[in-house]
Amino acid sequence: MTAADWPERALDHVWYPYAQMREMPLPVPVAGVSGCRIELADGRELVDGTSSWWSACHGYRHPAIMEAVHTQLDRLPHVMLGGMTHEPVVRLAERLAEKTPGQLAHTLFTESGSVAVEVALKMARQSWDNRGDTGRDTFIAFSDGYHGDTTGAMGVSDTYRDLRPRFAGLVNEHITVPLPSPESPSELERVLDERGPRIAGVIIEPLVQGAGGMRVHSPEVLARVAELTRGAGTLLIADEIATGFGRTGSLFACQQAEVTPDIMCLSKALTGGTMPMAATLASESVFRAFQGPDETTAFLHGPTFTGNPLAAAAANASLDLFEREPRLNQALGIEEQLRAELTPLVDLEGVRNVRVKGAMGAVELAPGWSPDWMRQRFVAEGVWIRPLGDIVYVTPPLVIGGDDLSRLTAAMGRVIRELFR
Ligand SMILES: Cc1ncc(COP(=O)(O)O)c(C=O)c1O
């Protein structure tokens, strides 16, 4: 590849995610990242409002994570976890067991959030089967929920409700109910009552439903879901892939409702956004269901790069930063500033709603505008914000300074005013 003209070839061979390739505009060419800035190939700099899909919680290239990964690279970049093990993965699993709520003491590592969800669904289902309770083949998920793009995860993602029939035979239909609310207090209860013996588990994104529209629910709603799930004797799966690691103001969103799930999925900010890694954590009771005399009760799932040492080293360094630096207070500071700076936008023409939870701020707009136009406008404003459906939202690195955060919110205000002028 020649040096300078690669951005022009960006669409020739790479198939970009979530894009209609026929009309996709040239993606923004990035040369480097540092702190809360994205450096473009043409020398411009953008303030990052995305943490690269909720992952770079400490900003980009945090020196502590860089050093941990470099040291690990020199010694042990990868070795299979089939029959072998290494210190970074052992230590990481111990620390996750300590830090997550309840008794989630057993972790299976994968490389993406969707696969962590696949593992959670398989784990829940097989745990019942191993116990001789063989009829539990259905999951309950929530309206506007999203749990990933792989086929199992699509089956429990309401965001894929319209697409699912096109994948019939590959993607299963499960049960979707609204979150408990004054309008629909007991739909979950009713389904659990009627279908209880068939239900393998209830899967939820605690406190913030991300891809389904940055929707926020209260700790009371989450606690009610947990209570009903427990009451029905089935498993609660907390998908904290987006909410985990400080995004909602606590290390895990479940902690705000004092909820202890049976299975938890983590990814995104697990490695501070540096390496692909995901984790599915199981309670003692789920883990025990897999103890048996032979392989028929074992959990047969193990990707080539499970527990990768580089990713584990990055994750350990990221957890050190959560211990050493005031990340959760920073998230709460961001929440306060986002409330102050985004709430007034609700009075603008075209704005339907403003939602803030922890270090996530979303503005829901009237539909009918072009996301590509908006992305270009944001780049011209010197910020990186990627709209989702009718939502313009920010999930900045938790270390973002007040001035940079104001640049993001001011750009949102300017672009929205221009859009509905
Ligand atoms: C709540 C939730 N679950 C699962 C996923 C899927 O994770 P990945 O994109 O790493 O497969 C996402 C990704 O956005 C998510 O927000």
Side-chain angles (χ1 to χ4, degrees), residues 18 53-54 111-115 117 146-150 153 205 208 210-211 239-243 265 267-268 278:
Y18 307 117
W53 279 330
W54 314 56
E111 312 90 342
S112 80
S114 303
V115 177
V117 169
Y146 170 73
H147 299 285
D149 299 340
T150 49
E205 293 162 89
V208 179
D239 176 351
E240 292 240 17
I241 287 163
T243 53
C265 303
S267 189
K268 291 193 183 282

Side-chain angles (χ1 to χ4, degrees), residues 180-201:
S181 70
E183 297 81 54
S184 174
S186 51
E187 183 70 359
L188 174 62
E189 196 172 6
R190 186 185 63 73
V191 173
L192 283 167
D193 267 356
E194 281 173 11
R195 308 279 295 271
R198 295 287 303 273
I199 304 301

Side-chain angles (χ1 to χ4, degrees), residues 214-244:
M214 306 295 149
R215 290 163 206 274
V216 177
H217 57 264
S218 67
E220 289 72 30
V221 167
L222 175 58
R224 180 74 182 138
V225 167
E227 181 188 45
L228 290 172
T229 305
R230 279 259 176 283
T234 192
L235 298 173
L236 181 67
I237 303 171
D239 176 351
E240 292 240 17
I241 287 163
T243 53

Side-chain angles (χ1 to χ4, degrees), residues 341-401:
E341 295 177 4
L342 292 183
T343 309
L345 302 188
V346 85
D347 295 326
L348 294 185
E349 183 74 30
V351 172
R352 291 194 163 164
N353 194 270
V354 173
R355 300 190 273 274
V356 174
K357 177 68 190 175
M360 187 289 293
V363 181
E364 185 173 339
L365 302 178
W369 41 275
S370 149
D372 288 335
W373 173 85
M374 190 173 282
R375 271 197 290 271
Q376 278 166 14
R377 277 292 294 114
F378 279 130
V379 170
E381 290 278 338
V383 299
W384 180 239
I385 295 175
R386 188 174 192 270
L388 170 92
D390 300 332
I391 316 276
V392 186
Y393 74 99
V394 285
T395 49
L398 304 181
V399 297
I400 194 166

Side-chain angles (χ1 to χ4, degrees), residues 86 98 164 170 216 253 292 303 326:
H86 50 83
E98 260 168 41
R164 271 205 295 267
L170 200 56
V216 177

Side-chain angles (χ1 to χ4, degrees), residues 38-59:
I38 300 174
E39 299 147 31
L40 304 189
D42 63 8
R44 285 179 297 167
E45 242 186 24
L46 305 181
V47 177
D48 176 35
T50 66
S51 300
S52 282
W53 279 330
W54 314 56
S55 67
C57 54
H58 312 289

